[in-house]
Amino acid sequence: MDLGTGPMMAAEYQARRQRLLPPEEPSAPVLLVGTHNAVAARIAEEAGFDGCWVSSLEISATKGIPDRNLLGAKEMIDVAQTIRSATTLPVVVDCDNGYGTDLAAARVARELHLSGVTGMCIEDSAFPKRNSLIKSVDRSLESREAFAGRVARARAATGDDFVIVARTEALIAGLPLDDAIDRAQSYAEAGADIVVVHSNGGEVDDLWEIAKKWTGPARLASIPTAYTDVTLDELGHAGYGMVVYANHLLRGALATMTRLAAQLRRGGQLSALTGLAPIQEVLRLSGEPGVAAA
Amino acid sequence: MDLGTGPMMAAEYQARRQRLLPPEEPSAPVLLVGTHNAVAARIAEEAGFDGCWVSSLEISATKGIPDRNLLGAKEMIDVAQTIRSATTLPVVVDCDNGYGTDLAAARVARELHLSGVTGMCIEDSAFPKRNSLIKSVDRSLESREAFAGRVARARAATGDDFVIVARTEALIAGLPLDDAIDRAQSYAEAGADIVVVHSNGGEVDDLWEIAKKWTGPARLASIPTAYTDVTLDELGHAGYGMVVYANHLLRGALATMTRLAAQLRRGGQLSALTGLAPIQEVLRLSGEPGVAAA
Amino acid sequence: MDLGTGPMMAAEYQARRQRLLPPEEPSAPVLLVGTHNAVAARIAEEAGFDGCWVSSLEISATKGIPDRNLLGAKEMIDVAQTIRSATTLPVVVDCDNGYGTDLAAARVARELHLSGVTGMCIEDSAFPKRNSLIKSVDRSLESREAFAGRVARARAATGDDFVIVARTEALIAGLPLDDAIDRAQSYAEAGADIVVVHSNGGEVDDLWEIAKKWTGPARLASIPTAYTDVTLDELGHAGYGMVVYANHLLRGALATMTRLAAQLRRGGQLSALTGLAPIQEVLRLSGEPGVAAA
Amino acid sequence: MDLGTGPMMAAEYQARRQRLLPPEEPSAPVLLVGTHNAVAARIAEEAGFDGCWVSSLEISATKGIPDRNLLGAKEMIDVAQTIRSATTLPVVVDCDNGYGTDLAAARVARELHLSGVTGMCIEDSAFPKRNSLIKSVDRSLESREAFAGRVARARAATGDDFVIVARTEALIAGLPLDDAIDRAQSYAEAGADIVVVHSNGGEVDDLWEIAKKWTGPARLASIPTAYTDVTLDELGHAGYGMVVYANHLLRGALATMTRLAAQLRRGGQLSALTGLAPIQEVLRLSGEPGVAAA
């Protein structure tokens, strides 16, 4: 098919996609960072990240709601569109369990794809999902077959150029590692480009064990929130082709805002505040024409 | 009219309104802070602020767009609703010039009021507005009469319990102080509860001069971004009944995210990051049931 | 509590509430009609209806998606807000099963209430809900206790002046009438103001049997889509205090648009089209100032 | 650039684009119809139209607001996305004057393009626009140069494959035909693919005169609302390559809803209503899986 004289959108889409999923196995992991709004995405791009991760925990927090399938597909699509317009990076949206049904997962996949968003992540937690970082919660999963079917539905709804990340919460739910790997394998066969065998135990050997056992037809990604002593290089050498730092920018912002709020409330001189970006930097990052870098 | 057995919403609305606009002149200025999302609003509430300011500069930045009347009324209403649900504080929305027409101003006023938002601020800049912190821009204003009419339209659309802040950009546009005061006077007579004679020159005497000359039937508020050596007490003693720190939380968040993004991009150990709120704090601030304070 | 000088919003809220739920048992049923957008709501108000019903089937259709819990809370809130601004009638939103969890139901109740929407309906279908007019589908319900708990959560989130309609799908799911009545009784005791024992069988005796057996502390409503030979008077005499014609305006619009589209496609003279509202009527219904009725 | 194995989105985008703007001059005009929601779009597709027109008058009406630049870019983008997901037809969005500034016009163009929407129309009315069907209103226009600049900005923001329709309101504003043609010529040179020399006088000779004088490098489109005796064939023979029936489906829907609302309010038997689509048809048009045509 002839794309004619001006396939700007198609070219732009493909450039983002190839940064997220390089045709050749990359020498270092593709590195994504959680960006909870457009200005965080611009900061991520300037810092050299390879992509933006739109985290359901982060977006739930910015909306003041618990991370429990309260956030709807439309709200995530809106945030994702705002971010994809603000950056040239690929954008991957954390869509929980695909909003609970195969049809919902297929629909959000198609909406994101039509909207120029590069990819999405879905996980095999049953509706309603619970955040994986909360301890001592009963968790139930969709069956392996059912969730592989959901991945296949999302793939069928989008074609090959939308990037699908499938994540199993099997380890979080207390299943053995082999079951988790089997699930990831099924999801890869059903059409996922990338799989995450998610873990939050903090036992770093889990990460290496997962990578060693992985032989499936999809790249392996890690979201190492709980593994605070592991480096990007180590993850890359172990075999992870993608790494996501999912919530650190927001956590830094919250700590800083908490500190500043306390100081501001005392009503002293504004000149005594430290750690503020200048107004010019706010203007620059918001895209104000003619404002140079601070 | 009998409000019957359960006027929860009405009581809640009035509690917010009275915190924003106490029946008696307050001993210290009512203090608002710019909150660009629900989690910033929760931080503001915990820090003891009297209200949330939804700033068009801040919200423009989070959406990655310049602060030039690109942000629409619907987008601001959405953010304001998210914030009013996340906090018990009054919420005041910075509605630029009311989106350029009297009808638009009246409509957004009514929408905010019906949505349980406590108040809004409109300014007398002509469409399209330019951010007041940008230097060397030609600025034009609505005429005094025209803008007083706009204030009156917004008042008529909402009744007495919606709080209207009218802001004149006269000093920003280079008009003499007396003209600015005259404008504020007209806006107060047209129905504004609070007026702002906005200034960004950094000449602190302007602030005292404005307060000294003000005799109108509305409280006086200051948004002292450019006056970094002035304290809340000084503003209160001069006669300001409300103070707004409009953009400091976001500026702190941006600086912190920029620092963290650079460090994260290097891919070292996450444990080396400093200044992060713990995950439990993110969960708590997002309203996760059963998660205690960090 | 003193509501001060201007409780316009509170008065407006209560006026809508009292039309929806008159303090005295009304002599004729309160009559609601499905309105899928603001202009339908204006038509409903001019025709003399007592309220607007925001139907999940109708709104799903306008968005081109099946009525299967794909429509999110935020999307329904947006439509409900648009309609409550366009009319002085009470607005009741059909919120399916409360979006699948108690927390989601409580949240949407609070959001609607804070937004000046008069009430909502929730039903005891398990997630994902299926439209009650589709035949031959396996249906499962939340348990009676679980759903009564959901009603209680929504009530606790809103206080007494938000109107809660609880609907049992027990008959649709094939349960006996007595079970359906027991469920409705539990939901009324948990805080519903109005209950619907929904039925689509077309056996008109069901309607009379339900009304005869009902003794609970809530008014009884009927959504008689399938009972095309029953009149409003008959429903009122039987004991129904509210009736909802949930989908007829949209069905008329679809039929007319289908007819017109076929004729328009042939490209003949526009003057040959019949059954068009004049442009002046479109302008008038959209609220264009100065345009009188057609 | 190699689009690889799966350029589904790119192919889909181009298929829509080519239907809207066939590489060869079409033998009959490309025919668009105003579709104010997704179900209207499905009806349009089934009737054989070549594309969906998202009219600011129609969408304003569905939101209950006058057609006077109250409707924001974000709200139109939302509707356009809903429609582009519901149909395979090209979608063209009526963006008024581009929301009043060059920057706003460029932004909405890029957002629509990134969202898979095929094109937009902008007109040279000054902010705030007034609906062209309202008589006796003072109208002002952007200057020819200024508006040509706006077209060029939108083009630069999107590349060649986004379709830009530029519309001059010169005749509506009382300017001579030659001025109107000159304006259209400038807009075509600035990058518009299609131009509309809009007219609502009802003098059919205007239509022929415009077409006869048009020699510019863009196709000519007509929105013949006021020319009710003209046929599609006549417009095609005169040289119009595109025709838009912008508001007829909504006008039919309004008339039908008004008639039905009056009858429904009387509370008689539902079986006495005429002109209703069956429930099965609502389900089918909403995309309910497994529901065949009525």
Side-chain angles (χ1 to χ4, degrees), chain C residues 183-208:
Chain C
R183 282 177 167 259
Q185 176 75 22
S186 292
Y187 306 160
E189 288 165 3
D193 301 296
I194 298 166
V195 296
V196 178
V197 180
H198 201 48
S199 167
N200 67 359
E203 292 293 327
V204 76
D205 285 349
D206 285 359
L207 291 182
W208 313 142

Side-chain angles (χ1 to χ4, degrees), chain A residues 46-85:
Chain A
E46 295 186 356
F49 282 93
D50 297 311
C52 294
W53 178 262
V54 183
S55 148
S56 65
L57 173 60
E58 286 200 349
I59 305 309
S60 292
T62 66
K63 297 191 181 284
I65 54 175
D67 183 21
R68 293 177 174 226
N69 264 139
L70 292 174
L71 197 62
K74 175 70 169 81
E75 292 156 285
M76 284 300 264
I77 292 168
D78 269 359
V79 175
Q81 290 181 343
T82 301
I83 289 176
R84 70 94 164 85
S85 293

Side-chain angles (χ1 to χ4, degrees), chain D residues 163-275:
Chain D
V163 175
I164 297 178
V165 182
R167 161 173 156 173
T168 178
E169 297 280 289
L171 296 179
I172 310 286
L175 296 188
L177 183 57
D178 285 348
D179 288 11
I181 297 278
D182 283 352
R183 282 178 167 258
Q185 177 75 22
S186 292
Y187 307 159
E189 289 165 2
D193 302 295
I194 298 166
V195 295
V196 178
V197 181
H198 200 48
S199 167
N200 65 1
E203 292 293 328
V204 76
D205 284 349
D206 285 358
L207 292 181
W208 314 144
E209 194 77 3
I210 292 164
K212 204 161 60 184
K213 292 200 166 179
W214 180 248
T215 59
R219 290 193 191 155
L220 200 58
S222 175
I223 308 174
T225 305
Y227 299 90
T228 55
D229 290 332
V230 170
T231 67
L232 185 67
D233 272 359
E234 290 169 338
L235 289 165
H237 291 140
Y240 289 94
M242 178 183 291
V243 171
V244 182
Y245 295 144
N247 48 52
H248 302 80
L249 296 189
L250 179 65
R251 286 163 61 192
L254 295 191
T256 294
M257 292 197 293
T258 300
R259 172 179 64 78
L260 285 172
Q263 187 173 354
L264 277 165
R265 185 61 192 90
R266 290 195 290 274
Q269 294 178 325
L270 296 172
S271 55
L273 299 168
T274 56

Side-chain angles (χ1 to χ4, degrees), chain C residues 49 91 105 112-113 152 172 188 204 274:
Chain C
F49 283 93
V91 177
L112 289 171
H113 187 212
I172 311 286
V204 76
T274 56

Side-chain angles (χ1 to χ4, degrees), chain A:
Chain A
M1 176 176 166
D2 177 16
L3 290 177
T5 54
M8 180 194 258
M9 186 182 61
E12 185 175 329
Y13 192 90
Q14 292 300 325
R16 298 196 203 217
R17 182 186 195 279
Q18 298 199 11
R19 182 144 187 200
L20 184 64
L21 202 67
E24 307 294 314
E25 185 81 31
S27 61
V30 169
L31 186 58
L32 274 61
V33 66
T35 53
H36 62 280
N37 57 29
V39 77
R42 290 217 169 113
I43 288 170
E45 179 160 5
E46 295 186 356
F49 282 93
D50 297 311
C52 294
W53 178 262
V54 183
S55 148
S56 65
L57 173 60
E58 286 200 349
I59 305 309
S60 292
T62 66
K63 297 191 181 284
I65 54 175
D67 183 21
R68 293 177 174 226
N69 264 139
L70 292 174
L71 197 62
K74 175 70 169 81
E75 292 156 285
M76 284 300 264
I77 292 168
D78 269 359
V79 175
Q81 290 181 343
T82 301
I83 289 176
R84 70 94 164 85
S85 293
T87 173
T88 67
L89 295 179
V91 177
V92 179
V93 184
D94 171 7
C95 291
D96 294 336
N97 40 27
Y99 308 103
T101 65
D102 291 3
L103 195 57
R107 183 185 170 228
V108 71
R110 179 164 159 78
E111 288 293 313
L112 289 170
H113 187 213
L114 284 173
S115 297
V117 175
T118 324
M120 78 167 177
C121 176
I122 50 174
E123 67 186 42
D124 55 7
S125 60
F127 181 91
K129 68 86 59 125
R130 299 297 308 274
N131 185 280
S132 61
L133 296 162
I134 297 176
K135 309 292 167 112
S136 317
V137 170
D138 280 339
R139 295 176 182 284
S140 56
L141 301 182
E142 299 285 349
S143 76
R144 188 175 81 169
E145 294 70 26
F147 192 74
R150 188 167 298 171
V151 171
R153 287 286 295 276
R155 174 58 67 209
T158 53
D160 288 351
D161 62 350
F162 185 67
V163 175
I164 297 178
V165 182
R167 161 174 155 174
T168 178
E169 298 280 288
L171 297 179
I172 310 286
L175 297 188
L177 182 57
D178 285 348
D179 288 11
I181 296 279
D182 283 353
R183 281 176 168 261
Q185 176 74 23
S186 292
Y187 307 159
E189 289 165 2
D193 300 294
I194 298 166
V195 295
V196 178
V197 180
H198 201 48
S199 166
N200 66 359
E203 293 292 328
V204 75
D205 285 349
D206 286 359
L207 292 181
W208 313 144
E209 193 78 4
I210 292 163
K212 204 159 64 184
K213 291 200 167 179
W214 179 248
T215 59
R219 288 193 193 154
L220 200 57
S222 175
I223 308 173
T225 305
Y227 299 89
T228 56
D229 290 333
V230 169
T231 68
L232 185 65
D233 271 359
E234 290 168 339
L235 289 164
H237 291 141
Y240 289 94
M242 177 183 290
V243 171
V244 183
Y245 294 144
N247 47 54
H248 301 82
L249 296 189
L250 178 65
R251 287 162 61 192
L254 295 191
T256 294
M257 292 197 293
T258 300
R259 172 179 66 78
L260 286 172
Q263 188 173 354
L264 277 166
R265 185 61 191 88
R266 290 194 291 274
Q269 295 177 326
L270 295 171
S271 56
L273 298 169
T274 55
L276 293 191
I279 284 284
Q280 291 298 305
E281 178 69 356
V282 181
L283 295 170
R284 187 185 71 81
L285 286 168
S286 68
E288 180 64 37
V291 176

